[in-house]
Amino acid sequence: MEKLYYTDRYKKEFFAKVEKIQKREDVYLVELDKTAFFPGGGGQFSDRGMIDGKEVIDMIEEDGRIYHVMKEKLTKKEVKGVIDWDRREDGMHQHFGQHVLSGCFYTKYHKNTCGFHLGEEISTVDIEGDLTEEQIIYIEKMANDIIKQNIHVEIFVPSKDELKETWTRRKLPDTAEEIRIVKIGDLDTNACCGCHPEYTGELKLLKIKRTEKSRNATRVEFLAGTRAIEYVLKRDNVMSKICKHLSCNEENIEKCILNIENNLDDIIHQRNILEEELLNYKIDKLLKNSNKIGNIEIIKHIFKDKDAKYLNKIVKKLTEKKNIIIMLFNTTTDKVNVVFAYNKGMEGPDLNKILQKNINILDGKGGGNKYLTQGAGKNNNRLDEFIEKSYKSILNYFE
Ligand SMILES: [Zn+2]
């Protein structure tokens, strides 16, 4: 079986003879006398495409044989294969991007590669040990410089004796099969069964997206070729929009954002002060309108559409004082919230018992303890009745 993807890596179409077709479950495994369909390897995904207008849905390499996996059966003996070139080119670029990155990390910092993953959207290469931000920036620039130099990528299959004399960045695989060596000028030499471009310039661009710690290595996310170009263009558009929005240019965007952050901090600080003042004002008003029974003040008040945070602040402030019992309500269109509370240091009725006794009036439920209890109900219409009954129960305690 002639491997056209090795002899001519840019072959998009080819003619071949069908040698064997076998059925496996619900698919056909097709063997050809030659193929340009790359079966995958070296972390690079396998090709897709068409044979005689019928789809190749997967590739399998098994015991030295290459199978084109098809759903429809081929009927002719002589067939034409067409590779899904966009997919192949993308796979080649991401895969080769890893070679360039690995070569750069090794040449510059003597850090080897211990993992590689080619993803549908992003690819990763794992580099031994820790890497600083400066090192990452340096390597990105170095990789793009290698691309710019348009170095010829040599691919050869040495004899076993020649192999012994060949330096490779990583240990050679222990196999009886032929080993293909990929050499990128003085940058890198490594064994690989993938499909590679002829010149580094084909990658056009390599972009490191981000890095993260991964066990004893650093995982470097990257994009190469068209993926990298599209990513950078997209980011550039976003950047332009941000600059326009903030009325600043790229050079001082960081400063501009920092200013906004500082201003925001000031505003939040000012708002907190005003909120506190407003809260104190509201509390004074509530105290002025309270009902007095002996030395106890009972505050009854219905709020409208307040959030829980606001009510909690009022409850907290009022229960700091002794001899105050609060009965606060918050109504919205379809709900009512209830809080009964007083300071733990004073003697008073069991507020939770009072709430539990009357909460059914509001078609609701709630719970808490003697000093602080909360509830919620669905029936706003009978709120007055609920307040009256609960208020009476509190008065009963003091009579
Ligand atoms: Zn490779």
Side-chain angles (χ1 to χ4, degrees):
M1 219 274 320
E2 203 184 329
K3 297 173 177 176
L4 300 172
Y5 48 86
Y6 280 156
T7 49
D8 180 0
R9 55 194 116 175
Y10 297 107
K11 209 163 197 49
K12 301 175 181 77
E13 295 182 2
F14 64 100
F15 289 94
K17 283 194 182 79
V18 176
E19 288 199 325
K20 199 176 167 190
I21 298 178
Q22 52 176 304
K23 189 133 200 241
R24 190 183 281 180
E25 290 164 3
D26 59 345
V27 293
Y28 297 98
L29 304 188
V30 179
E31 284 178 79
L32 304 174
D33 67 335
K34 52 176 151 330
T35 188
F37 278 87
F38 175 57
Q44 189 178 344
F45 45 64
S46 61
D47 278 343
R48 298 288 181 272
M50 300 287 212
I51 297 176
D52 266 6
K54 289 166 180 160
E55 208 181 337
V56 175
I57 58 164
D58 198 5
M59 295 294 297
I60 297 174
E61 193 169 16
E62 220 171 66
D63 303 326
R65 292 181 173 278
I66 291 170
Y67 301 109
H68 306 74
V69 183
M70 304 185 73
K71 281 210 158 165
E72 288 177 82
K73 196 177 180 181
L74 292 172
T75 48
K76 291 182 195 158
K77 271 278 165 208
E78 299 263 344
V79 291
K80 184 186 177 187
V82 181
I83 309 296
D84 175 347
W85 188 251
D86 286 346
R87 177 185 161 92
R88 155 73 81 76
E89 191 180 56
D90 176 54
M92 262 162 83
H93 287 170
Q94 308 318 311
H95 171 83
F96 189 61
Q98 177 258 307
H99 276 271
V100 172
L101 273 180
S102 295
C104 289
F105 278 115
Y106 192 81
T107 304
K108 178 68 186 170
Y109 299 116
H110 215 73
K111 284 176 187 281
N112 219 332
T113 294
C114 51
F116 167 59
H117 172 73
L118 201 169
E120 290 287 336
E121 286 179 7
I122 194 93
S123 304
T124 59
V125 55
D126 294 344
I127 305 294
E128 295 169 335
D130 293 328
L131 293 165
T132 65
E133 207 182 321
E134 288 73 29
Q135 285 176 322
I136 295 291
I137 292 169
Y138 186 92
I139 292 299
E140 188 178 59
K141 201 176 169 302
M142 183 175 170
N144 282 290
D145 198 47
I146 294 290
I147 293 169
K148 199 172 81 184
Q149 287 173 40
N150 205 20
I151 300 165
H152 183 238
V153 181
E154 293 170 70
I155 293 159
F156 47 93
V157 182
S159 68
K160 293 286 166 199
D161 283 340
E162 284 167 334
L163 257 183
K164 282 178 195 156
E165 303 298 313
T166 310
W167 178 88
T168 51
R169 178 173 41 79
R170 295 193 73 198
K171 225 179 121 201
L172 291 172
D174 187 16
T175 173
E177 287 173 31
E178 61 177 30
I179 290 177
R180 293 167 63 80
I181 299 292
V182 182
K183 187 173 182 298
I184 312 168
D186 298 328
L187 179 77
D188 195 42
T189 306
N190 205 31
C192 186
C193 60
C195 240
H196 310 88
E198 206 173 346
Y199 290 93
T200 58
E202 245 187 71
L203 285 190
K204 295 184 185 74
L205 184 70
L206 193 143
K207 180 80 192 99
I208 292 179
K209 199 176 169 191
R210 59 187 283 270
T211 62
E212 65 177 5
K213 193 93 194 82
S214 170
R215 290 199 198 98
N216 298 323
T218 304
R219 181 155 292 173
V220 180
E221 284 187 5
F222 72 94
L223 301 146
T226 307
R227 284 194 199 190
I229 293 169
E230 282 174 359
Y231 175 73
V232 169
L233 290 179
K234 197 177 101 190
R235 293 246 302 196
D236 186 64
N237 280 332
V238 172
M239 175 67 107
S240 298
K241 279 183 193 164
I242 293 172
C243 286
K244 201 174 159 195
H245 201 72
L246 299 178
S247 306
C248 67
N249 55 36
E250 280 169 49
E251 285 69 37
N252 54 29
I253 192 160
E254 248 186 298
K255 210 174 128 194
C256 183
I257 289 172
L258 217 64
N259 277 342
I260 292 172
E261 280 177 359
N262 288 338
N263 286 342
L264 194 66
D265 284 347
D266 281 349
I267 290 167
I268 289 171
H269 181 67
Q270 289 298 329
R271 196 203 62 180
N272 288 344
I273 292 172
L274 286 173
E275 206 178 83
E276 184 75 12
E277 278 181 18
L278 208 65
L279 209 65
N280 289 335
Y281 171 77
K282 184 71 196 169
I283 282 167
D284 282 347
K285 219 171 146 195
L286 288 173
L287 284 167
K288 266 182 198 151
N289 295 322
S290 66
N291 298 64
K292 290 187 181 60
I293 298 136
N295 64 339
I296 302 288
E297 291 183 80
I298 302 177
I299 295 172
K300 282 186 291 176
H301 189 76
I302 303 169
F303 292 96
K304 220 175 145 30
D305 295 327
K306 292 286 180 209
D307 65 6
K309 218 169 145 189
Y310 177 81
L311 280 186
N312 284 341
K313 277 184 186 168
I314 296 219
V315 171
K316 194 171 173 285
K317 282 218 170 244
L318 281 170
T319 50
E320 277 167 8
K321 302 171 197 277
K322 281 188 185 173
N323 300 332
I324 294 174
I325 295 177
I326 52 173
M327 302 173 73
L328 301 183
F329 311 91
N330 185 38
T331 60
T332 57
T333 45
D334 55 352
K335 219 173 88 179
V336 55
N337 288 87
V338 180
V339 188
F340 295 164
Y342 58 77
N343 184 294
K344 277 185 188 177
M346 65 177 262
E347 280 300 318
D350 186 330
L351 296 178
N352 193 41
K353 269 191 188 163
I354 295 172
L355 182 110
Q356 299 295 351
K357 204 175 102 189
N358 300 313
I359 195 78
N360 60 325
I361 297 172
L362 299 176
D363 194 13
K365 53 187 179 181
N369 54 43
K370 191 181 165 183
Y371 321 100
L372 173 69
T373 183
Q374 300 185 61
K378 288 177 243 165
N379 190 355
N380 284 358
N381 300 330
R382 294 175 68 194
L383 182 58
D384 288 345
E385 185 189 339
F386 173 78
I387 295 174
E388 201 188 317
K389 287 198 171 161
S390 304
Y391 183 61
K392 268 189 187 158
S393 302
I394 292 171
L395 288 186
N396 284 343
Y397 175 88
F398 292 105
E399 278 169 7

